[in-house]
């Protein structure tokens, strides 16, 4: 086993980006597009619970179908129902992602738009690294910590640069909502990683939390007698939410595979590039303002990502 780990470590040292890092980069692009597409419907007349449910449908269908196919093929994987800790982690993951984090993200988008919500929610990088070190005992070297701190500083520089743009007067209210979103995302990612490292299939690890989240959201509407909100939402907003959901599904699956192939610190740091990609997309295609301070923030985030990657490679076994 030690020889095998040594060979893997040597190979990864020769390869700056492994398969896990590639999936994390794809997740970053997916989440950036998701936030850009989601910004428009969130400015319309749609209830947060309805929006959270509709945009979760694509990932629920895809992950459930993939998980069922894997089960039918008889692939040897740990059943998530074999241990109460596994199913408990997945249930908590679903509640954190869809019942808590998603409505918080929607409120952040409403108050400050993509220009504020995306950068501030990127602080999940630091939260995830700290939680992974405490709960999963992942290595947390000085280089990795310094790189993450630099990334977070870059995120706030980016936010400062964007705060002078044409934003809502209440844009600052988006900051606590986005920070809450970041903390929930980070804890949910650590819980998901825990189950996969115990042998649970990645697609099943995504399907179960999504089903739990959608069931909880609709249960709330049913108890409150507000199921009619679906009919009151315009078709255009519902379609936009579904498109955003497809992008979110692709990003979530990519991030799940990344977490299954590399460390939480590496995957979440690369995934944080979404806070760089989203403003660039908005600048190129939506005419958003990308000023000097925002550009400095982007370069700072990139510097932090490079440092984290160097620290990750240095921490690999010989």
């Amino acid at each position: 086993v030690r020889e095998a780990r040594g060979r893997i470590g040597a190979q990864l040292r020769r390869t700056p980006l492994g398969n896990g890092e590639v999936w994390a980069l794809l997740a970053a692009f997916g989440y950036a597009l998701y936030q850009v597409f989601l910004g428009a419907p969130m400015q319309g007349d749609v209830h947060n619970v309805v929006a959270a449910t509709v945009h979760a449908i694509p990932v629920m269908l895809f992950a459930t179908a993939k998980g069922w196919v894997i089960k039918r093929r008889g692939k040897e994987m740990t059943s998530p129902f074999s241990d109460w800790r596994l199913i408990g982690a997945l249930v908590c993951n679903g509640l954190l992602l869809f019942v808590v984090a998603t409505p918080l993200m929607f409120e952040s988008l409403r108050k400050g738009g993509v220009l504020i919500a995306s950068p501030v929610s990127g602080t999940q990088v630091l939260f995830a690294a700290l939680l992974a070190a405490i709960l999963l005992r992942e290595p947390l070297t000085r280089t990795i910590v310094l790189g993450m701190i630099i990334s977070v500083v870059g995120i706030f520089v980016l936010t400062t640069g964007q705060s002078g743009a044409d934003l809502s007067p209440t844009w600052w209210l988006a900051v606590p909502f986005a920070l809450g979103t970041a903390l929930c995302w980070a804890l949910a990612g650590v819980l998901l990683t825990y189950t996969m490292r115990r042998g649970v299939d990645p697609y099943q690890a995504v399907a179960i939390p999504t089903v739990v989240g959608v069931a909880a959201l609709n249960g709330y509407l049913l108890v409150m007698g507000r199921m009619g909100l679906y009919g009151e939402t315009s078709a255009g907003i519902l379609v936009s939410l579904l498109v955003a959901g497809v992008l979110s599904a692709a990003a979530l699956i990519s991030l799940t595979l990344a977490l299954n192939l590399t460390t939480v610190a590496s995957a979440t740091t690369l995934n944080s590039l979404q806070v760089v990609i989203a403003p660039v997309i908005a600048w190129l295609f939506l005419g958003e303002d990308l000023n000097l301070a925002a550009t400095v923030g982007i370069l700072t985030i990139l510097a932090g990502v490079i440092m984290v990657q160097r620290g990750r490679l240095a921490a690999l076994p010989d």
Side-chain angles (χ1 to χ4, degrees):
V1 174
R2 288 183 178 178
E3 288 183 11
R5 291 181 65 185
R7 287 196 297 270
I8 293 173
Q11 180 62 38
L12 285 174
R13 279 197 175 88
R14 292 191 295 268
T15 307
L17 292 179
N19 290 336
E21 284 69 34
V22 172
W23 282 113
L25 286 172
L26 291 176
F29 276 97
Y31 278 126
L33 290 170
Y34 156 71
Q35 291 177 13
V36 171
F37 273 84
L38 194 61
M42 282 302 97
Q43 304 306 318
D45 187 16
V46 55
H47 194 278
N48 281 348
V49 175
V50 172
T53 302
V54 173
H55 104 288
I57 291 175
V59 69
M60 182 180 68
L61 294 178
F62 178 78
T64 301
K66 286 289 291 184
W68 176 256
V69 169
I70 289 170
K71 182 179 179 181
R72 295 276 294 182
R73 288 178 178 174
K75 184 179 178 181
E76 278 198 33
M77 300 296 294
T78 301
S79 170
F81 300 99
S82 63
D83 188 331
W84 68 268
R85 288 169 292 190
L86 295 177
I87 192 63
L90 292 176
V91 169
C92 289
N93 177 280
L95 295 176
L96 282 169
L97 282 180
F98 298 100
V99 180
V100 183
T102 299
L104 285 176
M105 185 63 178
F106 290 164
E107 282 302 313
S108 182
L109 285 168
R110 281 196 174 99
K111 300 297 183 182
V114 176
L115 296 178
I116 298 298
S118 178
V120 178
S121 63
T123 55
Q124 66 168 306
V125 174
L126 186 55
F127 291 134
L130 294 175
L131 289 171
I134 295 171
L135 300 176
L136 301 180
R137 301 187 183 280
E138 287 198 354
L140 196 64
T141 65
R142 291 182 180 179
T143 303
I144 293 176
V145 171
L146 181 59
M148 290 183 175
I149 292 174
I150 290 174
S151 294
V152 172
V153 169
I155 289 167
F156 281 107
V157 171
L158 182 59
T159 304
T160 302
Q162 293 169 341
S163 63
D166 186 17
L167 299 175
S168 167
T170 60
W171 68 267
W172 57 273
L173 292 174
V175 176
F177 287 122
L179 283 174
T181 302
L183 180 58
C184 290
W185 281 350
L187 182 55
V190 170
L191 291 173
L192 193 68
T193 304
Y194 165 76
T195 62
M196 290 188 296
R197 290 183 181 176
R198 293 287 299 274
V200 177
D201 177 75
Y203 293 106
Q204 293 180 1
V206 171
I208 292 175
T210 311
V211 171
V212 168
V214 170
L217 292 169
N218 281 284
Y220 167 80
L221 291 178
L222 185 62
V223 170
M224 300 301 294
R226 307 194 69 182
M227 294 296 287
L229 286 172
Y230 287 106
E232 298 172 9
T233 307
S234 70
I237 289 180
L238 292 176
V239 170
S240 296
L241 288 169
L242 282 174
V243 172
V246 171
L247 293 170
S248 176
L252 181 57
I253 294 298
S254 298
L255 183 57
T256 300
L257 293 173
L259 290 170
N260 197 38
L261 294 170
T262 188
T263 64
V264 171
S266 178
T268 55
T269 301
L270 281 172
N271 184 50
S272 73
L273 288 176
Q274 63 184 273
V275 306
V276 175
I277 299 169
V280 171
I281 292 175
W283 172 60
L284 290 175
F285 299 103
L286 301 180
E288 301 275 359
D289 182 28
L290 189 63
N291 55 31
L292 178 60
T295 303
V296 171
I298 290 174
L299 295 177
T300 305
I301 292 172
L302 288 176
V305 169
I306 292 171
M307 183 170 291
V308 168
Q309 290 306 304
R310 289 177 63 87
R312 180 189 67 86
L313 294 175
L316 288 171
D318 292 326

